[in-house]
Amino acid sequence: DVESFSKLEKLAVLGHGNGATIYKVWHCQTASIYALKVLRVDQHTTDVWQQAGQEAEILKRVDSPLIVKCHAVLNSGCIDSDNAGELYFLMEYMEGGSLQDILCIHRKLPEEAISRVARRVLEGLCYLHSTKIVHRDIKPSNLLINSKGELKIADFGVSQVVASTCDPHVSYLGTCAYMSPERFDPERWDGDKEGGFAGDVWSLGIVLLECHVGHFPLISPGETPDWATLMCAICFSDRLEIPETASPEFKSFVSRCLEKDWRARGTVDELLRHPFVNKSSGTKGWFG
Ligand code: ATP
Ligand code: MG
């Protein structure tokens, strides 16, 4: 409740995202550490708060060791002179940071580690999809690692709220990069749920390819494309080539994820049975 939010003590800034800042916070009463995501909502409308409220209900329903727990969502209750307000998401603290942080340090990951990432994300998606939730924002910065080295999916729902408040052509670029072809093109997808689930699988494919090649696979390192260029690359380019050096299992797995036609793409159930995610299933250590 509001009362206990006001008793959170900010210890450090953990990162910045789309209009959001993440703090490491201390909750005195329970002697626990949490992560607090403070999201600035620019066009402050009742719609946004209403949507945030709906998302909060979904977030609280989600309870799985594969998903970063969101304990509470609250709005600041005050609006500044620019008609902007703040939304707070109190989350499980993930000590190990994000897959993005890991890629910044190591650039590439060995296939054994990529296989573990794939398995964890598929299991997480399997849970979300079984509760009829489409994540819609699978990307390295939303895959977080705890102190035990376990990887979990974060930030679904949050992204929906952000999407509704941002200019999609500018602020949302970071997230667009992992979006599937059908999400850009109404002719390819009528919006049904199955297609939504398939979009999460595409995003996973891009993430895994990025872990393998060491940079976002659709653009050259250092390039900063505008929204239209990025969209063309996703929908039409054949630059999603998988390196020759990859194992046959990796190639086969990623090509199933990156099938442009979502109806032909691998489903979560199919991919969970794929040899690529089962070859290292006995070895713990990488991402749980
Ligand atoms: P988006 O708003 O689309 O999710 P983003 O993922 O880039 O964008 P944030 O979600 O704001 O941005 O997160 C920024 C960074 O903060 C993450 O990359 C991660 O390093 C850190 N972070 C986020 N959530 C947590 C958490 N629960 N525990 C620990 N660190 C976190
Ligand atoms: Mg995030």
Side-chain angles (χ1 to χ4, degrees), residues 41-42 44-45 49 75-86:
V41 180
D42 277 333
H44 185 282
T45 62
W49 292 133
N75 76 54
S76 60
C78 45
I79 301 159
D80 67 17
S81 53
D82 297 329
N83 201 31
E86 282 179 338

Side-chain angles (χ1 to χ4, degrees), residues 112 115-116 278-288:
E112 195 198 338
S115 159
R116 298 298 303 171
N278 289 298
K279 66 178 182 184
S280 64
S281 54
T283 53
K284 272 233 161 194
W286 283 104
F287 307 127

Side-chain angles (χ1 to χ4, degrees), residues 99-107:
L99 182 62
Q100 177 80 60
D101 302 331
I102 292 181
L103 288 174
C104 280
I105 298 166
H106 298 285
R107 212 166 59 84

Side-chain angles (χ1 to χ4, degrees), residues 8-213:
L8 293 168
E9 187 190 337
K10 287 178 183 157
L11 300 177
V13 173
L14 294 169
H16 299 276
N18 276 322
T21 305
I22 308 280
Y23 298 92
K24 178 179 178 179
V25 295
W26 169 251
H27 187 243
C28 190
Q29 279 87 343
T30 55
S32 325
I33 301 267
Y34 294 97
L36 181 72
K37 181 164 188 163
V38 180
L39 184 67
R40 195 184 141 87
V41 180
D42 277 333
Q43 289 130 48
H44 185 282
T45 62
T46 32
D47 271 12
V48 170
W49 292 133
Q50 218 161 43
Q51 196 188 353
Q54 280 163 12
E55 294 302 338
E57 286 315 305
I58 302 174
L59 284 166
K60 280 188 253 166
R61 221 176 62 210
V62 168
D63 188 13
S64 159
L66 299 154
I67 312 293
V68 173
K69 183 76 192 153
C70 181
H71 299 284
V73 184
L74 198 88
N75 76 54
S76 60
C78 45
I79 301 159
D80 67 17
S81 53
D82 297 329
N83 201 31
E86 282 179 338
L87 273 176
Y88 304 113
F89 298 81
L90 189 68
M91 295 185 289
E92 173 182 3
Y93 172 51
M94 299 294 281
E95 206 157 26
S98 70
L99 182 62
Q100 177 80 60
D101 302 331
I102 292 181
L103 288 174
C104 280
I105 298 166
H106 298 285
R107 212 166 59 84
K108 294 179 183 189
L109 294 179
E111 274 199 25
E112 195 198 338
I114 301 176
S115 159
R116 298 298 303 171
V117 171
R119 179 149 202 105
R120 290 290 291 190
V121 175
L122 283 176
E123 286 171 347
L125 287 179
C126 187
Y127 171 83
L128 288 177
H129 295 176
S130 74
T131 54
K132 305 275 179 285
I133 294 168
V134 180
H135 186 287
R136 293 162 77 187
D137 199 14
I138 297 290
K139 56 179 177 179
S141 63
N142 284 340
L143 302 175
L144 304 179
I145 295 113
N146 68 10
S147 57
K148 292 187 224 156
E150 295 163 340
L151 181 140
K152 303 186 185 195
I153 300 177
D155 266 357
F156 77 92
V158 179
S159 65
Q160 266 97 311
V161 179
V162 178
S164 69
T165 67
C166 291
D167 175 354
H169 293 208
V170 187
S171 336
Y172 214 39
L173 196 66
T175 283
C176 282
Y178 297 86
M179 259 166 59
S180 59
E182 68 275 8
R183 293 265 314 272
F184 291 99
D185 184 357
E187 284 192 3
R188 296 191 206 209
W189 179 39
D190 60 9
D192 82 45
K193 269 266 156 99
E194 287 307 317
F197 299 151
D200 285 343
V201 170
W202 169 280
S203 308
L204 170 63
I206 299 281
V207 170
L208 301 180
L209 195 52
E210 178 168 345
C211 293
H212 201 282
V213 298

